[in-house]
Amino acid sequence: MSAYSSLLRTTGVARIIVAQLVARFPFGMLSLAFLLHVEQVTGSYAAAGLVLAASSVGQALAGPLTSRWMGVWGMRPVLILTVIVCAISVTTVAQVEMSVPWYMGFSFLAGLSTPPIQPAVRTIYPKMVNSKQLTPLFSLDASAQEIIWVLGPVITTFISTQVGTQWGILTAVVIMAIGGTWFIASPEVGRVRIPRSKRKIGQVLKRPPVLLATVVGFLLIGACSALEVGVVATFGHSGLEAGIVLGILSLGSLAGGLALGHIGIGPWALSRRMFIVFAGTTVACFFDGAVSLSIVLFVAGIGIAPALTVLFAMVSSSVKFSDTAEAYGWMGTGQLIGAALGSAVAGVLIDSNGAIGAFWAASALAFVGFLVPLLGKRWHPDLRGRDASPIPDTEPIQVLTS
């Protein structure tokens, strides 16, 4: 814990962590809020899953683009534009009753305009701390973000069930406006300039560690998304059980991140952590009570934040600084495509097999997520005792000779 306390004493670190957490907090609410709202309006989990999938596809397409835009126009202009468009699109979903295709359209637009806060802050971090502090900072960030997933589902479920599903969405919009403004106003956002990348878009995926991180992130978040839909289907939207169980899943992730964050990242780190997620998710298929599910999903959660920490460090250590934002954008795209696939497949399986179908989907995705880094170990950088900072950008130096 001394590493974390040292980090928090570093100028600006605590402020930027809290600001970006508040700015990203709505996205721990919106997927569940959309699910509850659209299912209530349409009466179909499959329809709700399609709407979530549309949002995730929009985010997936936006990730690399908006990340590169920050290198062209600067962080603040891109963040301001996306916060405004996203807030308007999400408000429309909450306030206007539409057919499923229209819900999908506005959900897609909301995803397309998701503010690129995560790529921005991941790019800022290496400029705020020394090289030895970077991996613990990634771990602290991955752990702290679980607060979003602990409180987000509980707050969303409470507001949606006690006040109305549209108010669950509108609450997220208000937090988006407040958190986005706070993050954009942070001095570090104006101080750090992302160099314009000299590579064509997508070239960064040719680096095996970046591709491996993107694929595993796709599978990990796909499993988590399917779990979320399955938990909601198990308990319905008439009480707080679904939000509490999902909050405990995230609490397990928070605990795992803090407990394992100081451990060196070796070539087996990712497969080991994904195995924890797979084991807990598979055991969850055999339980449907709130207490028993909470226990096994807490165990599954122990591997989530540590796995994300490994993914962040893999990407950071494998690319030039000018490519970090795009690399994180692609990693986010993989995760969001996984969320789209997980929620859509889970929704279809729930309609045909009941809530257990979503847990089957989650277990299958988590298993492949364990298998991929196991088979791709040779592409996994060994960061034990190594610097996880990005590769410096260099320019050719002209030498004068007499």
Side-chain angles (χ1 to χ4, degrees):
M1 291 298 177
S2 61
Y4 299 134
S5 60
S6 172
L7 273 173
L8 294 175
R9 287 195 299 269
T10 303
T11 303
V13 168
R15 180 182 62 246
I16 199 72
I17 286 178
V18 176
Q20 62 95 15
L21 281 178
V22 177
R24 290 166 54 201
F25 195 89
F27 303 99
M29 302 174 65
L30 281 175
S31 58
L32 183 57
F34 277 10
L35 179 69
L36 293 170
H37 183 65
V38 176
E39 192 280 329
Q40 184 177 75
V41 172
T42 64
S44 169
Y45 278 105
L50 288 172
V51 172
L52 289 183
S55 174
S56 297
V57 169
Q59 288 178 283
L61 292 174
L65 291 175
T66 54
S67 298
R68 280 182 73 97
W69 288 348
M70 289 192 294
V72 178
W73 300 319
M75 291 189 192
R76 280 182 172 148
V78 175
L79 289 168
I80 290 169
L81 175 64
T82 51
V83 166
I84 292 172
V85 176
C86 188
I88 293 172
S89 304
V90 172
T91 301
T92 303
V93 172
Q95 294 292 83
V96 181
E97 188 169 332
M98 302 171 277
S99 61
V100 172
W102 279 105
Y103 274 126
M104 291 177 66
F106 278 99
S107 181
F108 174 80
L109 181 59
L112 198 61
S113 57
T114 298
I117 292 165
Q118 184 165 300
V121 77
R122 300 276 188 271
T123 304
I124 289 170
Y125 282 156
K127 299 299 183 181
M128 297 184 66
V129 299
N130 62 48
S131 58
K132 292 181 179 179
Q133 292 178 308
L134 188 55
T135 297
L137 179 55
F138 283 141
S139 179
L140 180 62
D141 181 273
S143 302
Q145 76 177 4
E146 292 307 321
I147 296 171
I148 297 171
W149 308 104
V150 171
L151 297 180
V154 176
I155 292 172
T156 301
T157 305
F158 178 79
I159 295 173
S160 297
T161 56
Q162 304 303 313
V163 183
T165 54
Q166 73 273 24
W167 288 104
I169 299 175
L170 292 174
T171 301
V173 174
V174 172
I175 298 174
M176 184 190 304
I178 295 171
T181 301
W182 185 9
F183 180 73
I184 291 167
S186 298
E188 293 78 12
V189 174
R191 190 177 301 141
V192 176
R193 173 69 183 176
I194 302 174
R196 186 191 292 259
S197 177
K198 299 179 178 63
R199 295 167 177 259
K200 292 181 180 179
I201 189 168
Q203 289 291 309
V204 72
L205 286 174
K206 291 184 177 180
R207 292 189 174 271
V210 176
L211 182 60
L212 180 63
T214 301
V215 172
V216 176
F218 156 80
L219 295 163
L220 172 61
I221 301 304
C224 293
S225 181
L227 273 180
E228 182 175 286
V229 178
V231 169
V232 172
T234 298
F235 299 105
H237 46 71
S238 58
L240 296 176
E241 291 93 342
I244 291 171
V245 172
L246 290 173
I248 290 174
L249 167 68
S250 297
L251 197 61
S253 180
L254 173 61
L258 293 176
L260 302 177
H262 65 285
I263 297 176
I265 297 175
W268 296 102
L270 189 54
S271 56
R272 286 171 177 166
R273 296 172 193 207
M274 285 302 301
F275 181 78
I276 297 173
V277 180
F278 162 65
T281 302
T282 302
V283 174
C285 295
F286 301 97
F287 297 96
D288 58 8
V291 175
S292 54
L293 263 182
S294 295
I295 293 171
V296 295
L297 291 185
F298 179 88
V299 174
I302 289 173
I304 295 174
L308 289 171
T309 299
V310 176
L311 298 180
F312 299 149
M314 286 173 62
V315 169
S316 177
S317 64
S318 303
V319 299
K320 291 185 176 181
F321 180 69
S322 58
D323 292 324
T324 52
E326 185 190 342
Y328 286 125
W330 281 111
M331 192 171 121
T333 290
Q335 293 175 8
L336 291 162
I337 294 174
L341 177 68
S343 59
V345 171
V348 171
L349 290 177
I350 287 169
D351 282 351
S352 59
N353 298 283
I356 186 64
F359 291 95
W360 293 341
S363 179
L365 287 166
F367 175 70
V368 181
F370 155 69
L371 205 58
V372 168
L374 185 69
L375 298 177
K377 183 179 74 72
R378 64 193 177 113
W379 296 323
H380 191 306
D382 188 347
L383 299 177
R384 290 172 294 187
R386 275 184 52 196
D387 184 0
S389 298
I391 302 167
D393 286 273
T394 56
E395 296 284 351
I397 300 174
Q398 192 172 34
V399 179
L400 298 177
T401 58
S402 55

